[in-house]
Amino acid sequence: MIRGLLRNIGATALLAVPITLLVGLGNLTNISINVFGLLVLVLPYIYRLNSRLRHWLAAMPWHSGYYFYSWLWWQLFFFFGSTAIPINIGDAHNWLITLIWAVVLLVVTLIIIIWGMAATLFFKRAHKHEWIDTTLDISAYALPVPLLLIGNILYLNVTDPMVALRISRGVFTLLTLLTYFGLFESIVVMLAYLYPRSDNYRRIRLVRILVTVLVWFAINAHMLLGGYIPQWGMYLMALALPMFQASPLVYITPAVFEFIVFGIAVACGMWVERRLITYSKRRQATKR
């Protein structure tokens, strides 16, 4: 697997890095960054169109959809992420600048491909515990992209009152839109993941989906729309989610909270489904 991983990284970087630096004349420009993003996305797919290259690269676990999801998340992180470490090259020579950017691009390629492989292994793992595995899968599909985008806004360090007043309307409008996007994506993921794949107890499974979505939505609506929260709860929320203070907790705390909410919603849906299946079996046995 390691050998296949290195082959995939090398084959992708072999074309993506030199072409990117050539377009940017040894440096990174807006056009060259876009070229790099496009090449890192399409090259692995192009290689797999050739039977020999596909066999050569096949030692690494690969799934086209999970690779695209990894590429998308890291594109958003590098373009919009607030926690990215700035690289200050200074007055280095041209060849050194090119070398530094080549290393940076190689590292980015490595990260995207490794995460794509990790996602493939994660989603193809053996599912032994329905509640835990369902919660993990739904969370992994639904949370990364919207929470990254929302976290980028909450991470803003707004300490000047005049600056806060000037950007507040646009920031909160965007935050509201991203929150709606996250809600919509989560509902779609739950519907797609839990949708019955067979005709056995199809109606009962649809009831489970309805219960799962309603419980999840009710908890989030309570938090987002100003439901009752005790004073000690507000104090803990302020500590756990320091918004607009450049705190990395704005990425961690919402993810933990939503994971717990998904766990509660999945558990409620499973309980209702099992109860209804038991009742249906007893009813059929009585008829016989």
Side-chain angles (χ1 to χ4, degrees):
M1 184 173 66
I2 300 299
R3 184 176 297 178
L5 174 64
L6 294 177
R7 287 174 180 175
N8 277 269
I9 294 171
T12 304
L14 183 64
L15 288 180
V17 174
I19 292 177
T20 299
L21 294 175
L22 183 62
V23 171
L25 299 179
N27 210 328
L28 287 189
T29 62
N30 290 334
I31 296 177
S32 64
I33 291 175
N34 292 330
V35 169
F36 175 75
L38 180 62
L39 290 174
V40 172
L41 173 63
V42 301
L43 282 176
Y45 295 98
I46 293 175
Y47 291 151
R48 282 164 175 79
L49 294 177
N50 184 284
S51 59
R52 292 184 179 179
L53 288 177
R54 183 168 61 248
H55 177 75
W56 187 64
L57 300 172
M60 186 193 83
W62 164 270
H63 186 282
S64 58
Y66 300 144
Y67 178 77
F68 174 78
Y69 197 45
S70 170
W71 173 87
L72 175 63
W73 195 91
W74 282 103
Q75 286 292 302
L76 294 174
F77 176 83
F78 288 121
F79 276 99
F80 304 109
S82 302
T83 58
I85 300 175
I87 300 176
N88 186 9
I89 297 178
D91 298 327
H93 295 289
N94 291 336
W95 65 268
L96 182 59
I97 293 175
T98 302
L99 179 62
I100 292 175
W101 286 129
V103 173
V104 171
L105 295 175
L106 179 61
V107 170
V108 173
T109 305
L110 182 146
I111 291 174
I112 294 175
I113 294 178
I114 287 179
W115 274 66
M117 182 187 71
T120 302
L121 293 173
F122 174 80
F123 287 112
K124 290 187 175 181
R125 73 192 185 280
H127 288 61
K128 299 179 180 180
H129 306 284
E130 184 181 2
W131 174 51
I132 296 175
D133 288 321
T134 301
T135 303
L136 286 171
D137 286 348
I138 291 177
S139 300
Y141 281 122
L143 297 182
V145 171
L147 289 188
L148 174 65
L149 297 175
I150 292 173
N152 289 339
I153 297 178
L154 298 181
Y155 185 84
L156 294 174
N157 190 6
V158 185
T159 55
D160 188 339
M162 296 303 295
V163 175
L165 181 64
R166 186 165 61 251
I167 70 173
S168 61
R169 179 176 298 180
V171 165
F172 283 103
T173 299
L174 181 57
L175 186 61
T176 301
L177 292 175
L178 291 176
T179 301
Y180 286 141
F181 165 72
L183 294 174
F184 175 76
E185 183 187 12
S186 297
I187 292 174
V188 170
V189 168
M190 285 187 283
L191 292 175
Y193 188 89
L194 296 174
Y195 189 81
R197 302 299 192 269
S198 65
D199 293 331
N200 296 331
Y201 304 109
R202 178 180 290 269
R203 293 182 179 179
I204 294 178
R205 174 52 66 91
L206 294 177
V207 173
R208 172 184 173 176
I209 293 175
L210 179 63
V211 171
T212 303
V213 172
L214 287 178
V215 170
W216 175 86
F217 185 79
I219 297 175
N220 278 282
H222 179 83
M223 299 298 295
L224 293 174
L225 301 179
Y228 172 73
I229 301 175
Q231 191 64 34
W232 60 267
M234 297 295 293
Y235 176 74
L236 290 178
M237 285 181 59
L239 291 178
L241 190 64
M243 298 182 291
F244 305 113
Q245 299 177 35
S247 171
L249 286 176
V250 297
Y251 296 97
I252 301 172
T253 304
V256 173
F257 171 77
E258 286 299 328
F259 179 78
I260 294 173
V261 175
F262 274 130
I264 296 172
V266 169
C268 292
M270 284 179 57
W271 183 83
V272 170
E273 182 182 48
R274 290 177 179 178
R275 288 286 183 173
L276 291 176
I277 290 176
T278 302
Y279 173 77
S280 177
K281 289 180 178 179
R282 288 177 180 175
R283 188 176 179 182
Q284 290 175 3
T286 303
K287 290 181 178 180
R288 292 176 184 175

